[in-house]
Amino acid sequence: MQSDLQNATEVLCASTPLRPRLGIVLGSAFGQVIDEVADATEVGFAELPGCTVPGVDGHAGQFVIGCLGGADVLLQAGRLHYYEGHSMDQVTFPIRIMAEFGVGQVLLTNAAGGIAEDLAVGDFMRITDHINLMGVNPLRGEAAAGFVDMSAAYSGPLGQALAQAAADCGVALKSGVFAAVPGPSYETPAEIRALATLGADAVAMSTAPEAIVARQLGLDVAGLSCITNAAAGLAKSPITHEEVLQQAHQAGEQAARLLGHFCELA
Ligand code: HPA
């Protein structure tokens, strides 16, 4: 009998003749890029056996296959978050589908709180490395298949492509270390001070699990954060999900431009 993964991949393959090499997971700030995709084919997560449908505002759940910046691309619009109560297997299943579909490179994007002094709201940060503080590893139970090396988890060449794309389209791009926390509460100021001491430059509630599974599957990984708020204790006002979504929306046009150029270069 075929597995859910094989069945889901078959549905995706049957929906389009395109076989993109590049996959992109769209975080909150990056959804507007969908409007730029030419000849788009949309496949809802509900159509994919074994794939969970996300349930948080601002996150649809679908794959979009089409042409962006002159290149074929597979976009995941809407992501599954651990804080919704999903298991790590559910959260990372779309990455497994992408790999089975034939994608060799994946760009993981997110909206994040800025910790480093040089990060302002509205900035973009290329992720150079991560600290997984989610308290779980998506590969738990799979050690028999081998221990995955994470010493160069984020690809240098893809990072260069991001830097070049940003330079080409006039978007300032910083770089730094990303910390992943489980959520769904935001952090306390003391936790943010602790994260800063650990070497984290930005923080959010996603991305690390997908990066780990992508590396297990041999994909080249790039990461990109849009800074939607100052992390807890670094600004006077409290952090709200509405503020994060509003900032994410404001950055959307620049984000779409940046991703379009990245697709040309990746
Ligand atoms: N903390 C955690 N996750 C986030 C934040 C934050 O400040 N901003 C956007 N996602």
Side-chain angles (χ1 to χ4, degrees), residues 165-190:
D168 287 352
C169 65
V171 172
L173 182 67
K174 294 174 176 159
S175 62
V177 172
F178 172 80
V181 292
S185 63
Y186 290 114
E187 300 69 41
T188 64

Side-chain angles (χ1 to χ4, degrees), residues 26-84:
L26 299 174
S28 304
F30 297 86
Q32 285 179 39
V33 77
I34 290 288
D35 301 334
E36 312 294 322
V37 179
D39 302 321
T41 301
E42 297 174 5
V43 181
F45 283 5
E47 297 172 49
L48 300 171
C51 195
T52 307
V53 178
V56 167
D57 285 0
H59 304 284
Q62 61 178 2
F63 283 116
V64 177
I65 308 111
C67 186
L68 184 64
D72 292 345
V73 65
L74 169 63
L75 299 157
Q76 179 188 336
R79 96 160 5 110
L80 295 148
H81 290 93
Y82 187 62
Y83 62 70
E84 292 177 82

Side-chain angles (χ1 to χ4, degrees), residues 111-114 179 181 185-187 192 203-206 226 228-232 239 244:
V181 292
S185 63
Y186 290 114
E187 300 69 41
I192 292 301
V203 59
M205 306 169 192
S206 67
C226 173
T228 49
N229 58 285
I239 303 167
V244 168

